[in-house]
């Protein structure tokens, strides 16, 4: 071997790796600070579980997940092999000694065979039977080819090395005894002429090492930089995981005071407004496409996927590197409308699927919320349908613009208690927060009336605020109007706190999420429960008696109850009590459930691109031949009913909220 040659090759490769990596990491370091050091124990645990053990990778899609886990394990184990090969370049007969050397020689051969099998499956998935989420990718094929070359040349090197050196070096003979592939090849190569053995020996070594060094230099230049950054990305991901949909709050004081001495920054305008983690995520994206599998925008032909967003950001950050690193912010173009099109920005339903699906927990929603905030509050650029929605919320605290005093009209004839004092609230088990959809929309009103029937049957002490109830502001916040949201939130919090409210039940997962997870930051701390959770509890306690009468029912999971808050069991437990047979499941269910299309303010916007999301969701149910699609959200109820009508299935399939199904089954 050549000590000078291997030293020079290693120094050049490692130096270029550091240089190319810093070209990207300098951009990350120049962006907005964001502390990510809290909960270090939880962070390290997730690095171990989802990083080293690849749990999220395998759980999300088992076959390619196992493939990736095998290649990753091979990468870690074969790093030890590359150290051995480097030392061999300086001292030819080097081997790992004793029992460690014997065990490693056996393990190395086993791992390399496993990696070759995994790479073969990777080629098959890319070339023969590609999944929809995979796009043509020459870099991925090249990397698979490099890995194959490294594995094959390492086997060849072992076989030729054992054939040449075993007799003269006992340590090499010891390694040969345990390297079952290399040992078998050595027996075969022994029949070659000595010159051929020598040429093959040196050629296999240098081809392998130069391939490894080429791989090292390539890592920072392409998507496979994630080999270096994925574990740090997992460490610095949002901890604890918690709700996905807590929107970053806007500091309104500088905006309200005209700025003063403080620079007015609302949301994200240019790349300089991104946090360091936003850029780190863009450079870390593996481009695996898992974010597409149940993304409602991607599946219905909208120009959105987390992968595409990260790819656009990555290219923009590299193109504008000098302006970012040297703080020439005035030279940077706006992101929204330029780098990320308005069609992309407003296609997102904020369902959170992409974040749950990403094997390395890259974040998406925070960027889009902040981009929308700047677009709405500073640029005044947003879908025209939202203008009337914002005005209606400002005037009447509901998107329909209907009178505040009509908020309790849905309850006429039900003798629902309307609380007007702290004493009345103190006597309640739960305050029923009705919300705008169930107060004004005829479809939602039916759900509210059914829930009242259930509460009465279980002798639950409840009441409503009536005309004193106002909107949570959830919709306008996710549409980027944080000023209006904070106005609505503070108004409702003042009412709730003035009445001494501590326990709230609601049928609306969007209100549930906002009251539970976002209001505490504004002084509103309450125990909040979803109506399916309360119904499940009442059934378990025997306070409700139902007669099973459903057949072939399938649950559509609400994003803001399930994915955002981890509640998948309660609605299913209730349906199981109502059904004569086992409830059905969508193929895309639970964490993988596809959104109905109403979230993120999309309820009020027309779908002008691609196909309708609610129709696509309904069509996913048709192969199951359900009689009923159960919902647990007033917006889902509307979207599923409209989807059934558009698909011509309204006469065959009904859609009912869980509360309506329970009310119909009460003894």
């Amino acid at each position: 071997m050549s000590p000078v040659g291997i030293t020079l090759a290693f120094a050049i490769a490692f130096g270029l790796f550091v240089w190319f990596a810093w070209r990207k990491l300098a951009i990350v370091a120049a962006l907005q600070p964001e502390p990510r050091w809290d909960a270090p124990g939880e962070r390290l645990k997730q690095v171990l579980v989802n990083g080293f053990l690849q749990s999220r990778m395998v759980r999300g899609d088992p076959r390619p997940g196992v493939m990736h886990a095998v290649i990753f394990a091979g990468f870690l184990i074969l790093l030890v092999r590359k150290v051995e090969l480097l030392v061999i370049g300086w001292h030819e007969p080097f081997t790992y000694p004793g029992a460690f050397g014997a065990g490693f020689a056996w393990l190395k051969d086993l791992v390399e065979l496993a990696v070759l099998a995994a790479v073969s499956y990777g080629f098959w998935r890319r070339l023969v039977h590609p999944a929809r989420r995979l796009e043509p990718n020459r870099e991925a094929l090249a990397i698979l080819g490099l890995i194959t070359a490294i594995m094959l040349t390492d086997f060849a090197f072992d076989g030729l090395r054992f054939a040449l050196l075993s007799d003269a070096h006992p340590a090499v003979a010891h390694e040969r005894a345990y390297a079952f592939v290399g040992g078998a090849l050595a027996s075969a190569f022994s029949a070659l002429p000595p010159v051929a053995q020598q040429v093959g020996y040196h050629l296999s070594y240098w081809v392998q090492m130069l391939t490894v060094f080429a791989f090292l230099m390539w890592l920072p230049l392409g998507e496979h930089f994630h080999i270096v950054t994925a574990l740090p990305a997992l460490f610095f991901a949002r901890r604890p995981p918690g709700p996905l949909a807590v929107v970053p709050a806007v500091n309104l004081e500088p905006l309200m005071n005209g700025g003063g001495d403080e620079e007015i920054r609302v949301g994200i305008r240019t790349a300089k407004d991104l946090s360091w983690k936003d850029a780190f995520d863009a450079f870390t994206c593996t481009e695996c496409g898992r974010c597409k599998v149940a993304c409602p925008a991607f599946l219905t032909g909208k120009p959105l996927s987390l992968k595409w967003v990260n790819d656009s950001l990555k290219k923009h950050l590299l193109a504008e590197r000098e302006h970012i690193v040297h703080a020439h912010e005035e030279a940077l173009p706006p992101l929204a409308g330029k780098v990320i099109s308005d069609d992309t920005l407003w296609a997102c339903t904020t369902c959170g699927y992409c974040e749950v699906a990403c094997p390395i927990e890259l974040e998406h929603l925070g960027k889009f919320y902040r981009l929308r905030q700047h677009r709405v509050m500073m640029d005044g650029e947003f879908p025209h349908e939202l203008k009337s929605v914002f005005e209606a919320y400002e005037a009447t605290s509901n998107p329909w613009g209907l009178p505040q005093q009509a908020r309790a009209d849905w309850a006429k004839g039900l003798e629902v208690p309307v609380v007007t004092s702290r004493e009345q609230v103190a006597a309640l088990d739960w305050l029923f927060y009705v919300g705008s959809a169930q107060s004004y929309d005829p479809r939602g009103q039916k759900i509210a009336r059914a829930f009242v029937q259930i509460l009465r049957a279980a002798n639950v002490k409840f009441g409503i605020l009536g005309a004193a109830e106002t909107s949570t502001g959830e919709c306008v916040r996710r549409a980027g109007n944080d000023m209006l949201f904070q106005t609505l939130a503070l108004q409702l919090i003042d009412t709730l706190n003035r009445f001494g409210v501590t326990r709230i039940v609601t049928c609306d997962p969007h209100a549930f999420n906002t009251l539970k997870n976002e209001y505490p930051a504004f002084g509103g701390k309450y125990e909040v429960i979803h109506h399916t959770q309360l119904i499940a509890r009442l059934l378990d306690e025997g306070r409700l008696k139902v007669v099973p009468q459903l057949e072939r029912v399938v649950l559509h999971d609400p994003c803001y109850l399930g994915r955002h808050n981890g509640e998948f069991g309660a609605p299913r437990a209730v349906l199981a009590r109502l059904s004569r047979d086992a409830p059905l499941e969508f193929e895309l269910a639970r964490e993988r459930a596809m959104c109905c299309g109403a979230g993120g303010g999309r309820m009020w916007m027309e779908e002008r691109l691609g196909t309708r999301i609610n129709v696509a969701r309904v069509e996913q149910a048709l192969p199951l031949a359900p009689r009923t699609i159960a919902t647990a959200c007033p917006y889902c109820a509307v979207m599923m009913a409209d989807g059934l009508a558009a698909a011509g299935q309204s006469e065959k399939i009904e859609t009912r909220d869980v509360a309506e199904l329970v009310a119909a089954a009460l003894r």
Side-chain angles (χ1 to χ4, degrees), residues 36 42-43 45-47 49-51 56 59 230 233-242 244 277 281 284 306 354-364:
R36 294 276 182 145
E42 175 66 20
R43 294 181 182 279
K45 176 185 175 184
Q46 292 305 316
V47 171
V49 172
N50 290 326
R56 191 164 169 145
R59 186 174 66 248
L234 277 168
F235 180 84
F236 289 115
R238 182 180 48 245
R239 296 286 177 246
L244 294 174
K277 182 59 165 56
D281 281 359
T284 303
L306 175 55
C354 56
E355 292 197 21
V356 169
C358 181
I360 48 179
E361 300 185 54
L362 303 186
E363 297 161 29
H364 164 73

Side-chain angles (χ1 to χ4, degrees), residues 171-296:
V172 176
H174 175 72
E175 184 177 330
R176 174 179 178 172
Y178 293 94
F180 57 93
V181 175
L185 290 174
S187 300
F189 291 154
S190 296
L192 294 174
V195 173
Q197 292 182 32
Q198 284 289 344
V199 171
Y201 170 57
H202 288 280
L203 187 64
S204 61
Y205 178 83
W206 284 106
V207 168
Q208 178 180 183
M209 295 309 293
L210 292 176
T211 303
V212 169
F213 292 148
F215 188 88
L216 180 65
M217 290 184 291
W218 194 355
L219 282 184
L221 298 176
E223 68 190 56
H224 285 77
F225 194 39
H226 74 265
I227 293 174
V228 177
T229 58
L231 294 180
L234 277 168
F235 180 84
F236 289 115
R238 182 180 48 245
R239 296 286 177 246
L244 294 174
V246 175
V247 178
V250 174
N251 180 7
L252 297 179
E253 187 173 347
L255 196 62
M256 300 297 290
N257 296 332
D261 295 331
E262 187 174 346
E263 181 183 6
I264 298 177
R265 282 187 178 272
V266 174
I268 293 173
R269 179 181 176 271
T270 70
K272 196 65 178 176
D273 295 318
L274 294 169
S275 74
W276 71 266
K277 182 59 165 56
D278 293 328
F280 197 76
D281 281 359
F283 289 133
T284 303
C285 180
T286 68
E287 300 194 20
C288 66
R290 292 186 182 214
C291 54
K292 299 176 181 178
V293 172
C295 170

